DNA sequence: TTGTATGCGTTATCAA
DNA sequence: TTGATAACGCATACAA
């Protein structure tokens, strides 16, 4: 390549690496190099440039569930929409590390290490092994986790602002006159869950409604737990609105809806329901009041954060705002 | 690392590279190396090993429409499902080249050159520039195009067997007694379209029904063209079944369905309809008789072909079979 | 403004 | 059974 252009390998590197601005290279030489590169279809080897301690404009994407699962419901597709757009905007290509989920031959104790091929790495899915992540982080390798995460320490993340979003939903309930509100959540103390719970309490407190742990109903098995009987007990105790945490399966939301109709009740006439998240794709009936996760924007924000890290800077605001979704499942308290 | 284990760099590579079986290494040495690696958390640098091995186990994916468009309808998602699975199975990671569609800064006259960064490259979307493709192919760079394609010469491709699929659909019609069948297609002579037309004719001929160009109705603007009047004219001329080519927009299929109901007719009572492809996602009413594109399998087949090229071999069968979809829009001819 | 020399961490070849 | 040593393709400090 260098020979064909009639220049040294250094010059090629300078021109193609964009360092031509800093070092000053004659337009003539530049033209020669670019011309030759084009004719040959020459592109610097990313592994080589990586090895020589430069960057290769590659961002890795590691997902600990199939990136394109057959079951679209749990897919990262919506995130990737934003990831791709922002990566393109920032001049990065994406490396999809495959098979990290399938537990195949490549999913070893060091699967994450493959990420080092790229300049930095995005990690999706909360099943990413903390020890492997820690190693990357400790080595100063740029990693951004999609979703709030406390471990390992020092890991950068980008997540949805569940606290604010939940607060807004509860605020809406209180503004409509509800005072006795209950939170139903599944028993899985991940940040996404505890954040919503915090927002729930904050929303009530901000409106001057006293709250406490007694308002939170944690259930391991929503189907057996959220029965018509339980529902009637709540109503009898004065509860007028129920807030449900969204989970992968939406089990609690489904169970509660079933319980309402099985009890011969109507939502929102007899009881108001709010969903802290998006309804499942197969949801029927009125749109649940709640909030939507801005998945594409989250993906984009993650890429921006990662780009900042790669460039040697610090990512800024890790929280992305959720959009309040006015629905049809909340009304004034009965009577 | 090597020093800490008290062995040479070579030995480390041998042990960690799994080549220990071929070369034979003392259990003692092996233990020392593994122990040291464990303590240090040492893992071979992928960039370095790739540089040395001259292969990087990366397959490029180039799409000339956004890979993750907001409009899911035209997305490559279903293909990527298969691509990811097969790539994982074959031990490849994927490089998604971004911005080739958006016409951004990176979508220049040489966007495709970036593909050389991988061991081979998959190209999706029929708008891939032929000249850039030719260059890659001429240079012996492994490229596989998803979808049949004749240009540039020598380009490997993997596509659906539209001929056989269309023949099967027409065969079903004839078997049910239809003799006067018409093909409606949009006016875009791409292989996917001409193949279906060929299958249409072959299906009729195979059943002993004479056919010819007069049976094919090409329309540039389905909405204005496929009117109730036209429909009645066909029926009056003895036509009992209409076969429609599927396109991106499904315009013809939609228009025809509208025409049927506007004419006060019933499908399949008064006329049978068949769709050479999948219905649009927003399709309502009875499932159209026709065939489905096995997108995931196509993606997988493309990866297999590419892997074969990368390994220096020749890809085998480029055609992937479509699945006949018995629907509810075909019945016996009226009267 | 451009070329020379060196090193990045690994694999592969050959010698011991 | 193991160890030197030479690529691999690039970036970078330094010399010209």
């Amino acid at each position: 390549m260098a020979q064909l252009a009639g220049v040294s390998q250094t010059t090629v590197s300078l021109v193609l690496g964009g360092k031509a601005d800093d070092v000053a290279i004659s337009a003539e030489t530049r033209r020669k190099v670019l011309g030759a590169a084009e004719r040959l279809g020459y592109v610097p080897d990313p592994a080589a440039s990586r090895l020589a301690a430069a960057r290769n404009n590659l961002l890795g994407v590691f997902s600990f569930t199939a990136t394109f699962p057959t079951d679209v419901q749990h897919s990262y597709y919506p995130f990737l929409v934003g990831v791709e757009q922002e990566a393109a905007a920032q001049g990065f290509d994406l490396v999809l590390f495959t098979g990290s989920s399938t537990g195949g031959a490549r999913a070893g104790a060091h699967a994450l290490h493959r990420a080092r091929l790229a300049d930095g790495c995005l990690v999706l899915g909360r099943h990413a092994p903390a020890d492997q992540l820690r190693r990357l982080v400790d080595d100063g390798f740029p990693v951004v986790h999609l979703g709030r995460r406390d471990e390992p320490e020092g890991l950068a993340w980008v997540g949805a602002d569940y606290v604010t979003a939940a607060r807004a939903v509860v605020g809406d309930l209180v503004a409509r006159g509800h005072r006795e509100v209950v939170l139903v959540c599944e028993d899985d103390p991940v940040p996404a869950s505890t954040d919503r719970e915090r927002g729930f309490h904050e929303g009530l407190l901000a409106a001057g409604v006293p709250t406490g742990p007694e308002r939170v109903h944690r259930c391991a098995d929503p189907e057996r737990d959220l029965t018509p009987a339980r529902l009637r007990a709540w109503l009898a105790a004065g509860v007028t609105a129920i807030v449900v945490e969204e989970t992968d399966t939406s089990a609690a939301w489904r169970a509660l809806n079933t319980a309402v109709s099985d009890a011969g009740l109507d939502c929102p006439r007899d009881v108001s329901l709010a969903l802290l998240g998006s309804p499942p794709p197969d949801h029927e009936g009125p749109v649940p009041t709640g909030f939507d996760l801005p998945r594409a924007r989250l993906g984009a924000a993650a890429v921006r954060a990662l780009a900042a890290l790669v460039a040697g800077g610090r990512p800024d605001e890790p929280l992305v705002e959720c959009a309040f979704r006015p629905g049809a499942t909340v009304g004034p308290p009965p009577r």
Side-chain angles (χ1 to χ4, degrees), chain A residues 64-264:
Chain A
F64 284 83
T65 323
T67 312
F68 307 113
T70 319
D71 177 6
V72 182
Q73 182 170 348
H74 300 116
S75 102
Y76 291 116
Y77 185 92
F79 295 106
L80 291 175
V81 172
V83 169
E84 190 205 11
Q85 279 186 1
E86 189 63 27
Q90 306 259 349
F92 287 96
D93 287 320
L94 297 174
V95 179
L96 260 44
F97 294 102
T98 64
S100 29
S101 51
T102 53
R106 318 197 60 186
H110 307 292
L112 253 183
H113 195 269
R114 277 189 288 158
R116 291 177 193 264
L117 168 79
D119 287 336
C121 174
L122 223 61
V123 177
L124 319 193
R126 56 169 179 268
H127 296 101
D131 53 339
Q132 292 188 43
L133 277 175
R134 185 193 319 279
R135 159 128 274 137
L136 287 179
V137 172
D138 287 352
D139 289 355
F141 185 82
V143 185
V144 170
H145 189 265
L146 210 142
R148 188 153 91 70
R149 172 153 185 158
D150 302 324
E151 211 188 16
E153 197 186 320
L155 173 65
W157 53 264
V158 165
D161 186 354
Y162 289 118
V163 178
T164 303
R167 205 160 45 197
V169 171
V170 172
D172 179 65
L173 286 173
V174 175
R176 288 167 183 263
H178 293 272
R179 287 297 174 273
E180 296 299 326
V181 185
V182 162
L183 171 67
V184 169
C185 56
E186 298 183 23
D187 199 11
D188 189 6
V190 294
S193 178
T194 54
D195 279 357
R196 284 183 251 226
E197 185 175 339
R198 221 181 92 204
F200 171 80
H201 291 302
E202 289 187 12
L204 290 175
L205 290 175
V209 179
T211 181
E214 72 282 357
R215 287 185 177 272
V216 179
H217 182 75
R218 236 171 229 98
C219 53
D221 186 348
E223 310 234 356
R224 305 173 60 107
D225 212 17
L226 300 173
T227 58
R230 157 132 286 141
L231 193 58
R232 287 213 195 79
W234 273 332
L235 297 198
V239 169
T240 59
I242 304 175
V243 178
V244 184
E245 184 199 330
E246 183 223 10
T247 60
D248 282 352
T249 58
S250 295
W253 175 253
R254 285 177 217 275
L256 203 57
N257 273 278
T258 305
V260 167
S261 65
D262 283 359

Side-chain angles (χ1 to χ4, degrees), chain A residues 162 165-166 169 196 275-278 288-293 322-325:
Chain A
Y162 289 118
V169 171
R196 284 183 251 226
L275 177 63
L276 300 183
S278 303
T289 297
F291 61 80
D292 285 311
L293 208 61
C322 295
F324 180 76
R325 178 188 59 238

Side-chain angles (χ1 to χ4, degrees), chain A residues 1-13 15-16 26 28-40 42:
Chain A
M1 158 67 201
Q3 344 215 8
L4 198 143
V7 300
S8 79
Q9 189 264 323
T10 303
T11 309
V12 173
S13 176
V15 173
L16 264 44
S26 74
E28 167 73 4
T29 309
R30 188 192 177 77
R31 222 176 20 72
K32 275 197 298 191
V33 173
L34 259 25
E38 164 170 340
R39 247 171 308 135
L40 294 174
Y42 168 89

